[in-house]
Amino acid sequence: MRMPGLADAINREADWLRTHGDELPALLKEHGGPFEVVQGRSMRSPNTRKQALYLTHATYSDSRWGNARKLGTYSFRLAVHWPVGSTVTSIDIAEREQQALDEALELVVARIRGLMGDHTHGGRFLAVAEAPVDSTINVQYEPPEKTLPEGVLRAEVLYQAQDQAFI
């Protein structure tokens, strides 16, 4: 049996982001969430007219932790695409869409934080956005004045997860 590692980390985390029916907010629209697409890895031609989350690797590092242990640390990047005009239609659409994006990102951060007492995303990792890895969940917004002419708002969510591996 293969140990969990770099090759399947995106799939494991994307599964967590698509999870529903627990105490955390659902992210997919079909389960009451704000996003039509939640998937691991970017598409060659993403559908820019859907609210979407694309999970990719930002970095990976493999460090010795003890005599027979190495820790694999993944930095995940969630690319967030939020088309303008997809949720509201009014004169102040840009402001309302920015608010809708903030509300959707609040749900994303809550799902990444995970359930109280479960820092492993349901056993998928040793730790996610918790010590011993960096516990920071960093949301970075692209300036709306740059993306609104394209008809979209964009943000990135950066966070880390860790696996324990034996050598």
Side-chain angles (χ1 to χ4, degrees), residues 1-166:
M1 186 170 118
R2 197 172 160 274
M3 293 284 292
L6 178 62
D8 72 344
I10 292 286
N11 296 336
R12 287 182 284 145
E13 183 63 5
D15 285 345
W16 174 256
L17 295 172
R18 287 188 295 265
T19 298
H20 62 93
D22 52 18
E23 299 169 22
L24 297 171
L27 298 181
L28 278 169
K29 264 195 181 171
E30 63 194 64
H31 304 296
F35 294 97
E36 295 174 87
V37 176
V38 176
Q39 79 173 46
R41 299 183 175 79
S42 293
M43 297 174 59
R44 180 175 178 202
S45 300
N47 186 332
T48 57
R49 297 310 310 158
K50 291 185 176 181
Q51 299 95 342
L53 294 175
Y54 297 103
L55 180 69
T56 61
H57 287 291
T59 62
Y60 173 77
S61 63
D62 193 59
S63 58
R64 179 155 320 269
W65 186 65
N67 184 32
R69 294 182 184 196
K70 289 195 137 213
L71 291 174
T73 302
Y74 314 96
S75 293
F76 289 129
R77 175 185 296 119
L78 254 177
V80 182
H81 299 270
W82 194 266
V84 175
S86 59
T87 60
V88 294
T89 54
S90 70
I91 215 80
D92 56 346
I93 192 168
E95 294 85 352
R96 288 181 186 261
E97 289 290 3
Q98 290 172 70
Q99 180 65 41
L101 175 60
D102 286 342
E103 291 166 4
L105 285 169
E106 187 172 27
L107 300 178
V108 170
V109 169
R111 175 136 296 275
I112 293 168
R113 284 184 189 137
L115 296 164
M116 180 68 75
D118 174 17
H119 59 269
T120 67
H121 282 189
R124 290 170 177 86
F125 295 93
L126 177 65
V128 180
E130 294 276 344
V133 296
D134 185 352
S135 60
T136 303
I137 301 170
N138 189 345
V139 178
Q140 299 176 350
Y141 295 86
E142 284 193 43
E145 61 272 16
K146 290 183 180 178
T147 63
L148 280 171
E150 301 170 29
V152 68
L153 296 169
R154 284 194 286 267
E156 284 188 336
V157 182
L158 304 168
Y159 60 103
Q160 291 188 332
Q162 198 163 54
D163 272 335
Q164 181 172 300
F166 298 92

